[in-house]
Amino acid sequence: MQQQFLQIHPKDNVLVALQDLNAGQTIIFGATSFFLPHTVKAKHKFALQTITKGAIVYMYGTIVGKATQNIAQGAAITVENVVHASSAYGVSREPWTFTPPDISKFKNATFNGYHRADGKVGTANYWLIIPLVFCENRNVEVLKKALLQPLGYRSSATDIIATDILVNLYKKQASKQELEEASILKPKTPEKEERVFPNVDGIKFLTHDGGCGGIRQDSDTLCELLAGYITNPNVAGATVLSLGCQNAQIPILEKAIAARDKNFKKPIFFLEQQKGGSEKQFIENAVKQTFLGLIEANKTTRKPAKLEHLTLGLECGGSDGFSGISANPTLGHVSDMLVTLGAKTVLAEFPELNGVEQELIHRCDQQEDAEKFAHLMRTYAKHAEAVGSGFENNPSPGNIKDGLITDAMKSAGAAKKGGSSKIMAVLDYTQPITKKGLNLLCTPGNDVESTTGLAGSGCTIICFTTGLGTPTGNPIAPTIKIASNSSLSQRMADIIDFNTGAVVEGTASIQEKGEELLAYIIAVASGEKIPNAVRLGQDDFIPWKRGISL
């Protein structure tokens, strides 16, 4: 029989409903017994004892809110009776002990990756086409049409609707009901790709709305981000389109590339439109240069590499009340295993670390990183407050509807993606990942801005946990979607890759699902399995302009 509710930490004064609990149902917890005054939906929390007005609400053993009114024993925790509250923190550290997990199953494991001249190993082999300014976006779209299909990079994933059926019905004067009831989904057919360059996994196009018009810091940051993409081991080379007069100048990008890799050897082509010639000639030259680059990129093949060469991004989005119980702790166990194996893992989304700062500070290996993390968090919070917002506004309506009432509650569960290992480095946005072990990277909680930043700092694969479902992906870092519950995994099977619902259902442990997930990650890193985000072409790319984004 599935467990009906859960106390996550002995200090918690709320319980989590693991399934719908009916009004009047008897709750027996230890020596305590009480009736539920109202129905409590699965994923939501209810009071273990009476919580008086002004009292602190604890979950995961930490402060997640404050009662705005008396909350009866058994009553559900809602936005009507609890507001955001979080623990204060300082930069003093206490000793942190990390107990490495059992890695015996993976000690000698390898993945088949693309070895680069700088010693890094990619999980994919992509060519990039990048505009330095939004003025070149249209030319990028022209290049996309000119290159993808002729080179064999066609995808049936987006060609799913037969609108001509509606057109024909309309011409026959079909009724509104007939139009609504008509099936316009194309039948699924096996996708066959005959690539001209079989060792190049794809051509990716990083259109954006930056590069000029804003503050110079934004265009400089954009160049740093793009340099991170170009030097990412998943990238074979790039074609860069410049208008010529924009803030994001070619030398700025070149300097950022050199700072990351002094001996940069990948093929890269810079084309500047204002230097002369017609637009057609500009496009023609871009196609020819890209084709020559693809010939070189195709010479690289997959070869075995130790797992220490993986750099795993830890992401969550569309979270629910089960995310912090199943999917996030499972991913945290994977992080701990990879850290023990000598790899790099990266936890981002700083607005979703609100309330767990002190624990993360204790986990910092160096005092300077503890101070840097505190500084980044406080600066971020002040900027949000200066424009009339704050971390407390991070939870979305979907988060709240599915049991994440406050940002501190959401953050306490989100931080579980980082496992329990020591933090070896704290990085600001666009800073490259260089140290083995767990890293913290300052990004917004916005899913796409965060995944964009993770890949820009060097992640070669991203694990993305979700309780509600999301179609987010990344152009260069294969993104694995991990469901917190079985219902989501079944309902959105075309988007979800891995299900941790068994943890909630009590049929599998976090350790078991963690080992299963790591095996899946290795298969993806080797090109043996294709995540749905890659299959569906979910190449989301949104640079953060350092404005307030939660």
Side-chain angles (χ1 to χ4, degrees), residues 317-318 327 464-472 479-501 520 530-533 535-536 538:
F464 192 128
T465 66
T466 182
L468 304 176
T470 170
T472 302
T479 302
I480 299 169
K481 297 292 177 45
I482 303 164
S484 72
N485 61 90
S486 297
S487 174
L488 169 63
S489 182
Q490 295 162 6
R491 190 174 66 255
M492 301 181 75
D494 61 329
I495 288 177
I496 299 300
D497 302 295
F498 190 88
N499 179 27
T500 61
Y520 184 83
I530 307 299
N532 285 317
R535 180 183 60 82
L536 294 169
Q538 293 166 346

Side-chain angles (χ1 to χ4, degrees), residues 30-53:
T32 304
S33 176
F34 56 91
F35 295 101
L36 292 180
H38 305 287
T39 295
V40 179
K41 292 183 178 181
K43 306 181 184 181
H44 286 259
K45 292 80 190 171
F46 58 96
L48 177 57
Q49 67 246 356
T50 298
I51 302 174
T52 58
K53 181 179 179 179

